Amino acid sequence: MPISGHATFEGTSRIRERNATFSQTYKTLGKTGLICSAVGSGSYRVDVRVAEHHAALSKAIRMGINVIDSSANYSDGYSEKLIGEVLESMITKEEITREEVILVSKGGYIQGENYKRISEQVALLRDEAPQSGTEFAEIVKYKNGLWHSIHPDFLHDQITRSLERLDVDTIDVYLLHNPEYFLQWAVKDNMPEDEARDMYDDRIRRAFAHLEKEVAKGRIKYYGISSNTFVKAEGSVDRTSLESVMKYAGPHFAVIQLPMNLFEQGGVNELNHEKASLSILDFAKKNTIGVLINRPLNAIHNQQLIRLANYPEREFLPEEDINVIVHDVNLQESEFKKEILAEAELNPQAKEAVTKLMMFGEWLDSYRWRDLAGYDEWRDLLFTVLKPRIQYVFDLLRPLAKEDKVIFRFLEEYAEAMDEVIEHITNFYTTKAAQTSNAIHNALDEVLPGEYHELSLSQKAVLALRSVEGVSSVLVGMRSEEYVDDVVFGLHAKTLDDAENFWKRLEINK
């Protein structure tokens, strides 16, 4: 049986009472009246198949974090499954009650399994045009592998699936997830702006009407919108205006979500409501709308991702020497393929796989390892592309190495050479990240009182956001217990006395 109940004022108040050391940081989530932790658990990259993510979320809840944000497309549904498993375990052990936790999820993206399922259904209709106004007729085919929809039938299906994955009978807050994809698609399709706006408004209106029905059924309690374009300038073609969408909102429209961080300051500094007199946060506060902040520690600046965290400075070889050891690995791969692989007792398919996938040095040599955007791109490349491919190669060759001393010796030397390359490139990008981090620290300390200077960069970044009046909760990805400790310890720092002045004086973008 799914977990029954939903977040309540009484339940969420108990969370605050149990965490007396930072009880003053809890806020009210807009007109929902629910008491929410100033920092919430963002679940963009968490996965039920990773034990560390279980431990981190459990610890976060035990330490007083009671806002858990997810979406149908996060880790292709495995994020919601993780949340469901953690809640079920903690409720069974009587560590928490369902009424104490605010569950937020979102729908709109058609990716992963959703994309496979729906694209197959659409393919069956290729010989007949979908009837206007139906679910399939209103799919935004943004690009291959990424479609979008907020049609009522799709939302009904997505809420059903989210409830099953979360293993609950009620979602506390359900958000339309970046509905502006329609506007962005319309611009690419050369649709007149007035026509696109009218269609967008109509889709929002019908989505809201459906979500009010979901409230009446008890499947959700409140709803709203998560939009990356809430913060854009008033005349932006793809901007979602809170002022506009509230015209179609029913009584249970209560929460919005938007990106904001030290670099992306539109939430406080872009006056884009009420004839350019109020920011999105001002307007939300005026209308008692709860505000969740996403991407607080992942800033996009000058088309690069900046991770707002501390990094250690490390020693690494000069760049020209790293070039040499990278090229040496490339030569090892080339010589192995030409001289050893040809004689190896592998079937043709396995030889072809080794030829295609043994490209660690070749890739770094050819695509210039120094030209990556930074530490995060290097880590993603290493762990999602390079290492998995090389691991597969080793799995194919290891049985032969037991009998063939030449292959055994090659694998040993190749692994050692790759480890050296990984160490020095990792240290190179870690040190670059540390230099950026230190510069940001210095810029912040110019406008922060001395009592905050010893905080970590992530703690300073979250502090600046949670100090803004109108921000209900800051969603931080806490995929390890170490991240949880950093976030919760940061809550012991009192909020800034004059946050408005801080944001005005901050010159981090320059």
Side-chain angles (χ1 to χ4, degrees), residues 5-19 26-29 32-36 66 96-102 172 221-222:
H6 55 82
T8 64
F9 171 76
E10 292 77 15
T12 54
S13 295
R14 286 198 297 272
I15 285 280
R16 178 174 59 186
E17 291 163 7
R18 286 206 299 270
N19 294 277
Y26 286 80
K27 300 186 179 184
T28 301
L29 185 60
T32 72
L34 301 172
I35 304 302
C36 64
N66 78 327
I96 57 167
T97 67
R98 171 67 185 90
E99 293 72 26
E100 294 171 347
V101 179
I102 302 170
D172 300 302
K221 290 296 292 181
Y222 300 96

Side-chain angles (χ1 to χ4, degrees), residues 21-283:
T21 56
F22 54 92
S23 62
Q24 75 284 355
T25 67
Y26 286 80
K27 300 186 179 184
T28 301
L29 185 60
K31 65 174 68 173
T32 72
L34 301 172
I35 304 302
C36 64
S37 50
V39 174
S41 176
S43 306
Y44 173 55
R45 297 176 69 183
V46 304
D47 193 310
V48 71
R49 296 164 291 190
V50 181
E52 184 179 37
H53 297 171
H54 281 260
L57 180 57
S58 300
K59 182 171 187 175
I61 295 171
R62 289 190 195 100
M63 295 184 76
I65 303 299
N66 78 327
V67 178
I68 306 174
D69 174 82
S70 190
S71 179
N73 68 315
Y74 289 175
S75 298
D76 205 14
Y78 287 104
S79 168
E80 291 180 321
K81 288 182 179 180
L82 169 75
I83 294 165
E85 285 194 8
V86 169
L87 285 181
E88 193 276 335
S89 174
M90 297 186 74
I91 289 171
T92 299
K93 295 175 183 175
E94 298 185 349
E95 295 181 85
I96 57 167
T97 67
R98 171 67 185 90
E99 293 72 26
E100 294 171 347
V101 179
I102 302 170
L103 285 182
V104 182
S105 197
K106 304 182 280 292
Y109 279 86
I110 302 175
Q111 291 177 294
E113 284 300 316
N114 255 347
Y115 180 81
K116 180 181 178 183
R117 174 176 55 85
I118 291 175
S119 61
E120 288 173 354
Q121 292 174 322
V122 170
L124 295 174
L125 299 173
R126 68 166 64 94
D127 295 329
E128 52 181 289
Q131 185 178 350
S132 177
T134 61
E135 176 184 1
F136 294 143
E138 293 193 358
I139 290 174
V140 176
K141 297 179 180 179
Y142 192 76
K143 64 180 180 180
N144 187 38
L146 172 55
W147 293 354
H148 198 277
S149 177
I150 57 169
H151 188 279
D153 292 344
F154 180 70
L155 293 176
H156 175 82
D157 171 78
Q158 293 298 284
I159 291 172
T160 299
R161 293 173 187 272
S162 288
L163 287 169
E164 290 172 354
R165 288 189 291 261
L166 290 164
D167 198 22
V168 297
D169 58 18
T170 303
I171 297 170
D172 300 302
V173 179
Y174 194 79
L175 306 176
L176 303 182
H177 201 177
N178 292 335
E180 66 271 12
Y181 266 99
F182 170 78
L183 293 172
Q184 294 166 353
W185 167 83
V187 169
K188 291 200 302 182
D189 204 45
N190 296 316
M191 184 183 295
E193 186 176 342
D194 289 347
E195 181 182 347
R197 279 284 164 195
D198 288 343
M199 292 181 69
Y200 185 59
D201 288 350
D202 182 60
R203 292 182 181 210
I204 294 289
R205 177 186 60 79
R206 287 184 288 119
F208 283 180
H210 176 76
L211 293 175
E212 285 289 344
K213 293 177 182 177
E214 295 283 6
V215 173
K217 293 176 184 176
R219 302 210 308 165
I220 67 175
K221 290 296 292 181
Y222 300 96
Y223 64 91
I225 291 179
S226 174
S227 174
N228 289 335
T229 63
F230 272 136
V231 298
K232 284 197 170 185
E234 198 163 16
S236 301
V237 175
D238 63 342
R239 171 174 166 259
T240 297
S241 164
L242 179 58
E243 191 172 0
S244 294
V245 300
M246 284 190 64
K247 298 173 185 174
Y248 312 108
H252 296 91
F253 179 91
V255 178
I256 62 170
Q257 187 176 136
L258 54 92
M260 186 173 159
N261 52 63
L262 296 175
F263 286 85
E264 299 170 90
Q265 304 170 6
V268 287
N269 291 334
E270 186 65 55
L271 303 182
N272 58 5
H273 284 73
E274 292 193 0
K275 298 180 179 179
S277 65
L278 296 177
S279 69
I280 176 71
L281 290 179
D282 291 333
F283 187 81

Side-chain angles (χ1 to χ4, degrees), residues 314-326 369 420-421 423-425 427-428:
R314 292 174 173 165
E315 292 186 2
F316 56 88
L317 290 173
E319 292 183 33
E320 56 270 22
D321 291 344
I322 297 178
N323 286 336
V324 171
I325 62 174
V326 166
W369 61 269
E420 184 181 13
V421 168
E423 177 186 358
H424 287 290
I425 294 181
N427 288 350
F428 172 84

